[in-house]
Amino acid sequence: MDSRRLLRTSATALAAAGLVLSGCSGGSDAAAPRTAAPAPSSAPEAPKLKKYYEQRLKWRDCGVEGFQCATLRVPLDYAKPDGEEIELAVSRARATGPGKRLGSLLVNPGGPGGSAVGYLQGYAGIGYPAPVRARYDMVAVDPRGVARSEPVECLTGPQMDAYTQVDQTPDDTAEVNALSAAFKDFAAGCEKKSGKVLPHVSTVETARDMDVLRAVLGDGKLTYVGASYGTFLGATYAELFPDRVGRLVLDGAMDPSLSALDLNRDQTGGFETAFRAFAADCVRKSDCPLGTGSVAAAGEAMKKFFRDVDARPVPTGESRKLGESLATTGVIAAMYDEGAWPQLREALAQAMGGEGSGLLALADSYYERETDGTYANLMSANAAVNCLDLPPAYRDAAAAEKAVPSFEKASPVFGAGLAWAALNCTYWPTPPTGRPHRITAEGAAPILVVGTTRDPATPYRWARSLAGQLSSGTLLTYEGDGHTAYGRGSDCIDTAINAYLLEGTPPADGKRCS
């Protein structure tokens, strides 16, 4: 796998809590009430939904060897099931055998905004452990608003280029106003281009879509592996349909009980933890561009570099220069997977020498920007889902400025930029429909929650919290680096998850792997 593809695979889950540079942080005030989500549903489907639950998928060749594709019909608005409907892209790879088929295994890579179909065809359908692929049909559906499923669109490629370069550490009123204007323009673009679907891309609605797909596939229970934001989606499904929970793996877990301000601040601390791990590795190497002293000194060198490119962006070999926003994004992209650390060292050394193409490539991978200047809809969908799921982190720019010191305490390296990034949802045109709350999913079968101790995007304590909230939650811990744990090199983790998926027995609660 080349480095660009490696980062794409990692960054599919980049917006675990919606905290993305120049993206929406899916926020809410810290004091927001812990309002419960919709009540669980165990009753037969409403008559008006019957046509969706009983539809037949027409499978066809995808043009990708080993995969079939189909289109799933669901209502745009579940409150109006006899109204307008939308189409969702579905793909599968049939169970390879030998052994008795166990049904369908639905996968979601996170985001929100990551293409589940792309993840299936590019990795899960060919890279998941062979014993799992032998017994399950591997299935994915692009969530509503994402990729091939009524995608949310907001800005053109050139507009996105400008948006991702806006200074996210404003130093004066003019820069604060410019950042606020950029967020407002982004939101306005989403409303203009995607106003119909924008109010209907919540996680609750996507979870309901998954239940329609479960039924259409002929499965009495849902078997599912969700990464990062996909853990929130899976937990939401369990809350809505606890009696339909089969074997759920929630890897790189989010904590649904937190306000967005807390989510963003916690995630900021997660990136600091990951950076310190990178720095500790870097300073032991003679080619470390941050020096060969202490981790603290490396952090100071990183902050100085960001200040330098803020004042004097460096050339990249194309029209875009590497300023602080793109440089920070590039560094954060490499935090998701320790396999990218050598690439980051090289890119930092180049940028400190006046050539920013390496860090720009990392940032482009994070944003899913193609070489022709077009962008996937990841960032648009990310904002749309997060801003609908939770109220905004801040009431105004003054509140964001007030929060900066607490973010800098969480991360001296990334805090200021990530504090301001959470301002996006303040200007969102569609009112939020969700609130932070605990998810217990009473009555659900055992659910396996997986946490990584130095996960940059979904801090480990979120996994502990979610496992504790779920009435049937079991915590599996990976002591290591990187975002998520399944399929990342730990035989201990993979063996435990494989056994759960194949036999239905989760590992002992609290099991730890390294």
Side-chain angles (χ1 to χ4, degrees):
M1 181 181 292
D2 63 39
S3 59
R4 184 176 177 86
R5 179 62 193 166
L6 173 98
L7 283 167
R8 287 238 173 151
T9 301
S10 302
T12 304
L14 75 142
L19 192 155
V20 291
L21 303 198
S22 298
C24 179
S25 72
S28 81
D29 286 329
R34 272 31 179 189
T35 306
S41 172
S42 58
E45 306 316 324
K48 290 183 179 180
L49 288 175
K50 186 175 180 180
K51 65 178 181 179
Y52 296 109
Y53 274 82
E54 295 184 352
Q55 67 185 288
R56 291 181 176 273
L57 295 180
K58 297 180 180 179
W59 293 103
R60 61 188 184 277
D61 182 74
C62 291
V64 180
E65 186 177 356
F67 294 91
Q68 296 175 307
C69 289
T71 300
L72 180 74
R73 295 180 294 106
V74 294
L76 173 66
D77 184 351
Y78 276 92
K80 301 175 181 178
D82 54 354
E84 188 171 355
E85 62 183 37
I86 57 176
E87 296 183 339
L88 308 182
V90 182
S91 183
R92 75 177 177 186
R94 300 305 298 267
T96 58
K100 181 181 178 181
R101 179 182 173 276
L102 295 175
S104 305
L105 171 56
L106 192 65
V107 296
N108 182 281
S115 170
V117 170
Y119 175 73
L120 176 75
Q121 296 176 356
Y123 171 64
I126 55 178
Y128 265 36
V132 173
R133 291 184 288 112
R135 305 286 299 281
Y136 285 100
D137 289 348
M138 301 292 296
V139 181
V141 55
D142 277 347
R144 52 175 62 207
V146 175
R148 304 161 180 84
S149 296
E150 303 286 340
V152 172
E153 301 291 350
C154 300
L155 302 178
T156 66
Q159 288 171 332
M160 277 295 295
D161 279 348
Y163 179 68
T164 59
Q165 294 179 74
V166 174
D167 188 349
Q168 288 197 180
T169 55
D171 300 314
D172 53 38
T173 300
E175 290 186 350
V176 170
N177 291 341
L179 180 59
S180 297
F183 287 149
K184 290 176 183 178
D185 289 346
F186 183 91
C190 298
E191 184 176 34
K192 180 179 180 180
K193 293 188 174 188
S194 302
K196 180 188 80 170
V197 73
L198 220 55
H200 300 291
V201 294
S202 71
T203 298
V204 166
E205 288 162 304
T206 294
R208 298 195 68 173
D209 294 340
M210 289 203 307
D211 194 57
V212 173
L213 179 58
R214 172 203 58 77
V216 171
L217 292 170
D219 294 316
K221 306 276 187 178
L222 178 73
T223 300
Y224 171 84
V225 176
S228 196
Y229 159 81
T231 67
F232 178 49
L233 176 58
T236 299
Y237 180 91
E239 180 177 42
L240 292 170
F241 308 105
D243 57 322
R244 301 172 193 175
V245 168
R247 302 167 188 178
L248 265 59
V249 178
L250 309 181
D251 183 11
M254 287 183 60
D255 182 350
S257 72
L258 295 178
S259 71
L261 188 61
D262 289 335
L263 282 170
N264 282 285
R265 199 157 36 207
D266 279 3
Q267 194 178 56
T268 297
F271 282 116
E272 182 71 18
T273 297
F275 173 78
R276 292 180 65 84
F278 161 74
D281 177 74
C282 186
V283 297
R284 292 195 294 265
K285 294 176 169 57
S286 60
D287 64 344
C288 180
L290 302 177
T292 55
S294 67
V295 169
E300 290 301 318
M302 188 80 262
K303 288 160 59 178
K304 180 181 184 302
F305 167 71
F306 287 150
R307 290 194 300 269
D308 289 345
V309 293
D310 185 32
R312 292 176 297 278
V314 298
T316 62
E318 58 166 276
S319 59
R320 292 178 298 158
K321 288 189 174 183
L322 184 78
E324 183 181 14
S325 290
L326 285 174
T328 304
T329 304
V331 173
I332 280 181
M335 295 296 100
Y336 282 82
D337 191 324
E338 65 272 27
W341 290 357
Q343 184 182 358
L344 177 59
R345 290 198 307 273
E346 181 180 354
L348 280 172
Q350 291 175 344
M352 291 176 177
E355 211 295 295
S357 61
L359 275 181
L360 182 64
L362 289 171
D364 285 350
S365 181
Y366 186 98
Y367 285 129
E368 293 198 355
R369 182 189 190 273
E370 300 293 345
T371 54
D372 64 2
T374 60
Y375 287 75
N377 93 309
L378 171 65
M379 307 312 294
S380 300
N382 178 270
V385 175
N386 282 317
C387 294
L388 198 58
D389 275 351
L390 291 171
Y394 310 124
R395 293 182 177 86
D396 51 33
E401 186 170 15
K402 185 177 180 180
V404 168
S406 67
F407 277 74
E408 289 182 320
K409 182 178 180 180
S411 173
V413 174
F414 304 116
L418 297 185
W420 284 103
L423 183 62
N424 188 348
C425 290
T426 300
Y427 309 111
W428 203 248
T430 304
T433 56
R435 293 291 188 278
H437 64 283
R438 292 174 59 85
I439 291 181
T440 61
E442 293 287 344
I447 297 173
L448 182 56
V449 179
V450 188
T452 298
T453 55
R454 293 186 294 278
D455 191 313
T458 51
Y460 175 64
R461 63 180 174 181
W462 290 359
R464 290 203 313 261
S465 179
L466 179 60
Q469 291 172 43
L470 291 167
S471 63
S472 60
T474 294
L475 179 63
L476 173 64
T477 298
Y478 173 54
E479 297 177 346
D481 298 295
H483 185 39
T484 73
Y486 189 38
R488 287 175 44 83
S490 169
D491 288 340
C492 175
I493 290 288
D494 291 355
T495 297
I497 293 176
N498 292 348
Y500 171 64
L501 290 174
L502 296 173
E503 301 165 15
T505 304
D509 188 28
K511 180 179 176 63
R512 302 182 77 88
C513 297
S514 58

